[in-house]
Amino acid sequence: MKFKTLGKTGLKVSVVGLGGIPIQKVTEDGALEIIRECKNRGINFIDTARGYTVSESHIGKALKEVGRENFIIATKAMAYNYFEMKKNIDDSLEALGVEYIDLYQIHNAGTRGQFSDVVSEDGALKAMVEAREEGKIRHIGITSHNHEILEKALDYEEFDTFQFPYNPVEDQGADVLSKAAEKNIGVIIMKPVAGGVFPKPALSLKYILNTDFVTLAIPGMDSIEQVVENASVAENLSLLTDEEKVEIQKIAKEIGTDFCRRCGYCLPCPQGINIPAAMLLENYVKSYSLNDWALKRYEGLFSKASDCIKCGICEPRCPYNVPIRKRLESVKETFGE
């Protein structure tokens, strides 16, 4: 396994980590087997979240068997104010069953308003700094699907890591991630297969790990076979061949632009539809089979795809020319509206 230093944290991390979203699909015993195989393969970084239902607790119970000392644990919370973040950090510690968490992250700060709340006088960042001083967490990070938010985060020295989507068909964050690496901020890549869109995971992972600004990638894994496949890419990492570069270009052309990069430029919708969230939740159903989990969150959205009146205001705003009205029809069918 290849290792890199996670920016200014100083932590030595495997260049492939375990993404914890799919852990909620497996049993406690299944999670134990996956994490045991991660240890066997040299994967020492685990990323999860408060919002991933049982993922934290499954991982926590597995750590008791496999050994917490063998892993760098990262988790995150969609909490943007002081009191919510303070509670979430304590809840994560309890769920994971650990005395401290190596990396705690702001989860999906997607709007300027959310980021402003995070860094305000009574924002989540204040709670995270306090938790770090108390020894509850060691380092602070931020995740987003909007590269403009990370541009703002560059100005705050408290952030040790950035987590953002990057893969052969999603490079909208390349500039800000490169800037982050120059400032010794650790770069964690989520969605390494574009949320299941890219058909050759190993090739996509190889592409990512050959990118200079990347520290590590965290593909979601719900089986031992996936752990073996992903670890093998890092174990045998070489430069991309000319043939592989041509294949990546061919696949990217075939995929085209008909998928959401979650940049948020389409918003606001006059009907109040959170378009990126609706499309993302549909993808969790189609690519990860997280039907119940996605449906519960979809039902919690203020407006649904069925509220779309096909005004088309959103589509000219999209820099990737996604046919949003057509995609919302698909979302509507997926969730049975």
Side-chain angles (χ1 to χ4, degrees):
M1 176 57 65
K2 184 177 180 181
F3 293 83
K4 284 187 175 181
T5 301
L6 186 61
K8 55 188 173 180
T9 71
L11 297 169
K12 300 294 184 182
V13 297
S14 52
V15 295
V16 172
L18 171 65
I21 288 180
I23 291 295
Q24 54 194 319
K25 290 199 299 181
V26 304
T27 63
E28 288 182 9
D29 288 342
L32 173 59
E33 292 304 312
I34 289 166
I35 290 172
R36 181 175 287 134
E37 188 62 29
C38 283
K39 178 178 178 293
N40 293 341
R41 293 282 170 169
I43 293 174
N44 75 341
F45 186 92
I46 298 175
D47 176 87
T48 182
R50 291 296 305 140
Y52 299 164
T53 60
V54 297
S55 181
E56 280 187 336
S57 61
H58 278 12
I59 290 168
K61 288 172 183 173
L63 292 175
K64 288 180 172 62
E65 297 286 333
V66 183
R68 189 262 183 269
E69 69 277 5
N70 295 305
F71 293 96
I72 293 163
I73 306 301
T75 191
K76 48 195 178 291
M78 284 188 188
Y80 307 121
N81 67 52
Y82 175 84
F83 293 104
E84 287 180 355
M85 180 54 78
K86 192 175 179 66
K87 181 180 185 303
N88 273 274
I89 291 172
D90 288 339
D91 288 345
S92 289
L93 287 165
E94 182 178 357
L96 287 163
V98 296
E99 294 182 358
Y100 69 92
I101 294 165
D102 297 282
L103 174 64
Y104 211 92
Q105 303 159 101
I106 302 290
H107 190 180
N108 195 21
T111 68
R112 293 181 182 180
Q114 288 172 343
F115 185 77
S116 294
D117 288 343
V118 166
V119 298
S120 69
E121 184 177 351
D122 295 315
L125 187 56
K126 177 183 176 182
M128 299 171 88
V129 171
E130 286 184 4
R132 184 177 62 189
E133 292 171 350
E134 295 166 358
K136 293 181 177 181
I137 66 176
R138 297 284 174 88
H139 305 284
I140 296 171
I142 183 170
T143 84
S144 183
H145 293 91
N146 184 342
H147 62 87
E148 291 184 345
I149 299 301
L150 295 191
E151 288 280 359
K152 292 181 176 295
L154 284 171
D155 294 330
Y156 292 83
E157 63 180 16
E158 293 89 349
F159 293 117
D160 300 312
T161 64
F162 283 2
Q163 186 178 141
F164 197 81
Y166 179 79
N167 52 67
V169 291
E170 289 188 279
D171 63 357
Q172 67 270 21
D175 287 345
V176 69
L177 295 178
S178 181
K179 292 176 185 176
E182 290 173 3
K183 295 189 70 170
N184 203 23
I185 295 171
V187 174
I188 304 167
I189 300 304
M190 59 173 158
K191 303 294 185 293
V193 288
V197 173
F198 199 86
K200 293 196 172 184
L203 182 58
S204 183
L205 194 54
K206 184 177 181 180
Y207 170 89
I208 294 163
L209 297 183
N210 271 290
T211 303
D212 290 340
F213 57 71
V214 171
T215 308
L216 77 156
I218 50 169
M221 305 184 226
D222 60 12
S223 70
I224 290 175
E225 292 75 18
Q226 289 175 358
V227 175
V228 172
E229 179 182 8
N230 291 325
S232 295
V233 176
E235 291 166 354
N236 305 293
L237 187 62
S238 60
L239 296 176
L240 290 166
T241 65
D242 290 339
E243 291 78 8
E244 287 172 329
K245 292 176 182 177
V246 169
E247 185 176 12
I248 286 170
Q249 292 174 351
K250 180 176 181 292
I251 293 172
K253 186 176 180 180
E254 290 172 351
I255 290 172
T257 59
D258 189 12
F259 68 96
C260 178
R261 275 81 164 180
R262 304 166 297 278
C263 67
Y265 290 126
C266 57
L267 301 176
C269 166
Q271 301 304 113
I273 303 169
N274 186 332
I275 297 167
M279 292 183 182
L280 179 63
L281 291 170
E282 181 191 34
N283 192 55
Y284 281 128
V285 172
K286 292 188 171 182
S287 297
Y288 300 107
S289 300
L290 291 169
N291 300 42
D292 293 339
W293 182 82
L295 178 59
K296 181 179 179 181
R297 280 150 183 78
Y298 183 74
E299 289 175 342
L301 295 179
F302 178 77
S303 297
K304 311 294 191 297
S306 56
D307 293 314
C308 176
I309 59 173
K310 296 182 171 54
C311 66
I313 292 175
C314 53
E315 292 185 359
R317 298 173 180 165
C318 178
Y320 304 102
N321 300 311
V322 174
I324 295 173
R325 287 173 289 185
K326 180 181 176 181
R327 286 295 314 279
L328 287 177
E329 280 294 320
S330 175
V331 172
K332 186 167 67 172
E333 292 176 9
T334 296
F335 290 106
E337 293 187 277

